[in-house]
Amino acid sequence: MSYASQLLDSYPRTFNVDAKVLASAIDALTDCAQACTADADDDLSEPNVAELVKCIRLCLDCADICMTTAGVTSRQTEYDANVTRPLLEACIASCKSCGDECERHAMMHAHCQVCEQACRRCEQACRQLLDAMK
Amino acid sequence: MSYASQLLDSYPRTFNVDAKVLASAIDALTDCAQACTADADDDLSEPNVAELVKCIRLCLDCADICMTTAGVTSRQTEYDANVTRPLLEACIASCKSCGDECERHAMMHAHCQVCEQACRRCEQACRQLLDAMK
Amino acid sequence: MSYASQLLDSYPRTFNVDAKVLASAIDALTDCAQACTADADDDLSEPNVAELVKCIRLCLDCADICMTTAGVTSRQTEYDANVTRPLLEACIASCKSCGDECERHAMMHAHCQVCEQACRRCEQACRQLLDAMK
Amino acid sequence: MSYASQLLDSYPRTFNVDAKVLASAIDALTDCAQACTADADDDLSEPNVAELVKCIRLCLDCADICMTTAGVTSRQTEYDANVTRPLLEACIASCKSCGDECERHAMMHAHCQVCEQACRRCEQACRQLLDAMK
């Protein structure tokens, strides 16, 4: 059981969203943030780095956005849907853009394939959390 | 002239948004992120910390979101409106929520008054950038 | 296998540290960052929040430091020991301080017990990485 | 007067370091974080991006470390010198490495010259804060 799950279990108040869906999203977000950071770095090491500039840029954005979304969704106290909802929308858009770009390089670079998977899984987990919040 | 302005001036390519509006937004975002971090900490030092829990939580969110938005808007290479636009919407929502909550404590706590100003200015700068992007 | 491991496996160049030790550290760092963020929020929800102010503050620091250390250690390209080494030292110090404070509240609050474990594990993983770098 | 200064002025408790030195460090840290983020992006737009890989990597590290150090030094409540001190050391090392690398490209790229200035100023401000803490 991930720390995210354990900490939701020991949260002192109640919360209005399914804990399993929430924990899955938090885990997918932190995983995706790390994968994007690492993939941007892998791209920098490639001989064809000039062709990977868009991938690097989208990975840097996606890492930042996923990390921030992980923080905001980890906080349950005085939860504010007006903030969480548009942030999840932005995170879904970022995972989509980054995943699509990684896919274009997945045949040539195994690290882009791994990062694409992390982005797709995170996009899906954020969509499920957004649905569960409704 | 802020570093943000100087670095936009020396950007090697052209970009499709007014540099002055962009630089103002970046500066307002980094200012707001710092103000929210400091205000959350100021709240923690108050004898009535239990009444400031909502303010702390929204400040932590707003600090993270503003910092990430500063990063994404600072990146011009392979700019992706599909990511930047919803992120700016999320940031505007966060500055609004945090600014409103800070306003409730502004009479009693000078630090909340300062933070409210930073949030209002940032919200406005993000709206202007969003308009300029259209 | 974590994304961190998979991305180290597909890194295009060679690196001078044991990949298993490095992947364990990266995973422990991202886990600890999330645990500290969540524990600070759990503390904010407790009726005795005023007694948990030190715990909240150290958790916020530890979350930021672990996240940054995860980023820096995830980057292998043009690795700079002059930066990584003191940062790992700072991260070890932060995990130690935060783990010690969480331990003081572990009997009363299960979430502090979980966070203490994350901090202890991360402290150890950072020490092992620092040793492996020598 | 920067928000950092205003928020230190309205801090509800006393703190044991000169407020002016502290505010200067916080402002230099947030400035440097933004400059490094923007310079890494400027580098990505250059035709000779392959020669700027080390600069990009060090800028990404320096941005993360400065941002985290800005957060930790902005927090005064339950201040822990055991954490702040090694973190400032790590930040000084990062600003030094990044500033040195930017200097190598400063003649060719104006954005690296601007970033070098931000790194040098931040390194100095962190040293002054470390001295003031003794």
Side-chain angles (χ1 to χ4, degrees), chain A residues 53-54 57-58 60-61 64-65 68 71-72 75-80 82-84 86-87 89-90 93-94 97, chain B residues 53-54 57-58 60-61 64-65 68 71-72 75-80 82-84 86-87 89-90 93-94 97:
Chain A
V53 162
K54 188 177 182 179
R57 190 255 146 92
L58 291 175
L60 294 178
D61 283 2
D64 285 353
I65 295 171
T68 284
V72 171
R75 292 182 200 110
Q76 286 301 311
T77 307
E78 299 290 350
Y79 161 79
D80 184 340
N82 293 330
V83 176
T84 308
L87 184 61
E89 299 279 12
S94 177
S97 275
Chain B
V53 162
K54 187 175 183 179
R57 189 253 146 92
L58 291 175
L60 294 177
D61 283 3
D64 286 352
I65 294 171
T68 283
V72 171
R75 292 182 199 109
Q76 286 301 310
T77 307
E78 300 291 349
Y79 161 78
D80 184 340
N82 293 329
V83 176
T84 308
L87 184 62
E89 299 279 11
S94 176
S97 275

Side-chain angles (χ1 to χ4, degrees), chain C residues 24-112:
Chain C
S24 292
I26 295 168
D27 288 334
L29 284 158
T30 54
D31 281 355
C32 189
Q34 197 279 327
C36 287
T37 298
D39 191 38
D41 182 70
D42 288 345
D43 288 346
L44 281 176
S45 272
E46 293 290 353
N48 70 333
V49 58
E51 295 160 41
L52 294 165
V53 162
K54 187 176 184 180
C55 189
I56 294 169
R57 190 255 144 90
L58 291 175
C59 279
L60 294 177
D61 283 2
C62 199
D64 285 353
I65 295 171
C66 285
M67 206 55 239
T68 284
T69 309
V72 171
T73 53
S74 292
R75 292 183 199 109
Q76 286 300 311
T77 308
E78 299 291 349
Y79 162 79
D80 184 340
N82 293 330
V83 176
T84 308
R85 212 177 289 271
L87 184 61
L88 281 170
E89 299 278 12
C91 195
I92 288 166
S94 177
C95 290
K96 173 85 173 68
S97 274
C98 192
D100 286 352
E101 182 62 23
C102 286
E103 192 181 17
R104 294 186 50 230
H105 308 287
M107 294 283 284
M108 196 167 172
H109 301 305
H111 48 82
C112 289

Side-chain angles (χ1 to χ4, degrees), chain B residues 105-130:
Chain B
H105 309 286
M107 294 283 284
M108 198 167 170
H109 300 304
H111 49 82
C112 289
Q113 197 179 0
V114 177
C115 191
E116 188 209 338
Q117 288 165 12
C119 290
R120 300 303 187 201
R121 205 184 116 221
C122 187
E123 183 189 343
Q124 198 183 8
C126 287
R127 283 191 200 283
Q128 284 167 348
L129 180 55
L130 203 57

Side-chain angles (χ1 to χ4, degrees), chain D residues 48-121:
Chain D
N48 70 332
V49 58
E51 295 161 42
L52 294 165
V53 162
K54 186 176 183 179
C55 190
I56 295 170
R57 189 255 146 91
L58 291 175
C59 279
L60 294 177
D61 283 3
C62 201
D64 286 352
I65 295 172
C66 285
M67 207 53 238
T68 284
T69 309
V72 171
T73 53
S74 292
R75 292 181 200 111
Q76 287 300 311
T77 307
E78 300 290 348
Y79 161 78
D80 184 341
N82 293 329
V83 176
T84 308
R85 214 178 289 270
L87 184 62
L88 280 170
E89 298 279 11
C91 194
I92 288 166
S94 177
C95 290
K96 174 83 173 69
S97 274
C98 192
D100 287 351
E101 182 62 24
C102 285
E103 191 181 18
R104 294 187 49 232
H105 309 286
M107 294 283 283
M108 197 166 171
H109 301 305
H111 48 82
C112 289
Q113 197 180 0
V114 177
C115 192
E116 188 208 340
Q117 288 165 12
C119 290
R120 302 303 189 199
R121 205 185 116 223

